Amino acid sequence: RLELRQNLLGAMAAERLMRRVLCTRACAALKELDLSDNPLSAAGIEIIAELLPQARGLTKIWLDGCSIGEAFRPLVDSLAAFRMMSSSASRLEFMSLAGNNLSDAAALELLIASGAMDDGAPDMGDESSSQRSSRSSRSSGRLNRRGVGNTIALSLKDNPLVSAQHVALAEWTAMVV
């Protein structure tokens, strides 16, 4: 585990770390990286998201308190890329984005990209097949019940999420790993 929490790392340091350390064969043994509470900026998040799928051994990453806010979109692509990788490739299992001022819309996109839910709003309650059929005809989203093996757990705590369903689903995915 490499913990670089609160080191005032910016975009340039993030790029150097990712390119010269994490994306090399020599660092394939590194499983966990904590970059929390660093001012990574939108550029730093974009670089991390772009290079994250190349970090072969990494299974867990913490980006808590990095002021991601509206700069979250590159992480959506990165999560989707990890989910598309074969089982023999690197498998990100957990990403923490706590305390990043993420909106409900951001949480929704991240939860869909992580595989925790299908498109739309999550549905975590038990429902009959007729209720499920009726709901799916309205094209609202639901918890991905196909199993958690292809799901990347997210921690979204301490974000200003209004939707209690998004909070509950994020907490559920974080408990699974």
Side-chain angles (χ1 to χ4, degrees):
R1 178 179 175 138
L2 180 58
E3 188 166 326
L4 297 172
R5 176 182 285 266
Q6 295 179 334
N7 276 291
L8 299 175
L9 300 176
M12 185 181 276
E15 181 174 16
R16 286 184 182 144
L17 173 70
M18 295 301 289
R19 287 194 194 280
R20 296 183 183 165
V21 178
L22 292 177
C23 295
T24 64
R25 288 187 181 137
C27 265
L30 182 63
K31 302 290 183 204
E32 300 179 5
L33 175 63
D34 188 347
L35 294 173
S36 297
D37 302 315
N38 282 296
L40 296 173
S41 75
I45 294 300
E46 189 171 331
I47 290 164
I48 288 169
E50 175 189 332
L51 298 174
L52 195 56
Q54 298 172 34
R56 296 288 177 209
L58 202 62
T59 59
K60 297 180 181 180
I61 187 166
W62 287 263
L63 297 169
D64 301 343
C66 291
S67 302
I68 294 171
E70 293 304 311
F72 73 93
R73 283 206 168 71
L75 294 172
V76 170
D77 295 335
S78 187
L79 288 169
F82 263 106
R83 290 191 56 234
M84 298 300 289
M85 289 180 169
S86 69
S87 59
S88 62
S90 177
R91 285 293 299 165
L92 186 67
E93 298 170 359
F94 174 81
M95 179 182 284
S96 182
L97 299 170
N100 274 296
N101 201 29
L102 297 171
S103 66
D104 277 316
L108 181 63
E109 285 189 50
L110 289 160
L111 288 165
I112 291 169
S114 75
M117 64 180 288
D118 294 327
D119 290 339
D123 169 33
M124 294 182 57
D126 292 326
E127 59 189 359
S128 69
S129 60
S130 63
Q131 288 171 317
R132 204 170 18 254
S133 173
S134 170
R135 185 181 40 72
S136 61
S137 69
R138 294 189 312 265
S139 71
S140 63
R142 60 190 180 280
L143 178 67
N144 181 352
R145 298 175 196 262
R146 290 184 291 261
V148 296
N150 199 26
T151 300
I152 299 166
L154 290 178
S155 173
L156 298 174
K157 66 182 180 180
D158 300 326
N159 281 293
L161 302 180
V162 176
S163 169
Q165 290 177 320
H166 292 163
V167 173
L169 185 55
E171 290 173 4
W172 176 82
T173 63
M175 288 188 304
V176 172
V177 168

